[in-house]
Amino acid sequence: MPIDIERFETDPEEALNARGRTNAAAVLSFLAASPDRAYTPKEIHEATGLPRGSVGVVLSRLEDRGLVRHRGEYWAVAADEAVEKTLSSMRAAQAATDRFGPEDPEEWGPGVEDDEET
């Protein structure tokens, strides 16, 4: 669904993310909802509404992390408990962002950067 250019230019990037979650979360959630099925990237694109070009990149990254697997043109969620842990972490991070807003390092106060180096 298109948005007007004013919103495009003024809304924070997080607010412009469709459905309020990352592409990785959308793909992983979709595949995890049907662990007994495998899908083509086109089917994942159609089901999630993500840009077609993004789906392949996301699937490759998720595969690198061991969260999805593929054979031929088909992709499925990995048969691993790491998937549920990852989804749980993504949900917790999204809930925190929804409640407290996006992370802003300028709000951390002075000296935070120095503490990280020691």
Side-chain angles (χ1 to χ4, degrees):
M1 176 168 141
I3 60 172
D4 64 62
I5 198 68
E6 182 178 323
R7 181 172 174 211
F8 171 80
E9 292 175 344
T10 60
D11 282 11
E13 190 170 332
E14 294 82 10
L16 297 176
N17 193 358
R19 298 185 189 99
R21 60 183 175 174
T22 66
N23 290 352
V27 170
L28 193 57
S29 295
F30 171 72
L31 292 175
S34 300
D36 58 338
R37 298 198 179 272
Y39 299 88
T40 65
K42 181 181 178 189
E43 291 167 333
I44 295 168
H45 151 73
E46 291 170 351
T48 62
L50 297 176
R52 177 83 164 96
S54 297
V55 172
V57 173
V58 169
L59 287 168
S60 293
R61 290 181 182 163
L62 291 172
E63 182 182 33
D64 289 345
R65 295 182 182 128
L67 299 171
V68 299
R69 55 201 164 115
H70 83 279
R71 294 185 68 201
E73 291 294 314
Y74 287 88
W75 293 80
V77 69
D80 189 302
E81 67 182 49
V83 172
E84 187 51 44
K85 288 180 184 178
T86 299
L87 285 170
S88 179
S89 295
M90 287 176 167
R91 286 189 291 267
Q94 185 62 49
T97 299
D98 291 347
R99 182 167 181 196
F100 301 112
E103 190 175 292
D104 184 359
E106 292 182 15
E107 294 179 4
W108 296 346
V112 173
E113 299 83 22
D114 297 335
D115 291 345
E116 290 178 356
E117 292 177 11
T118 58

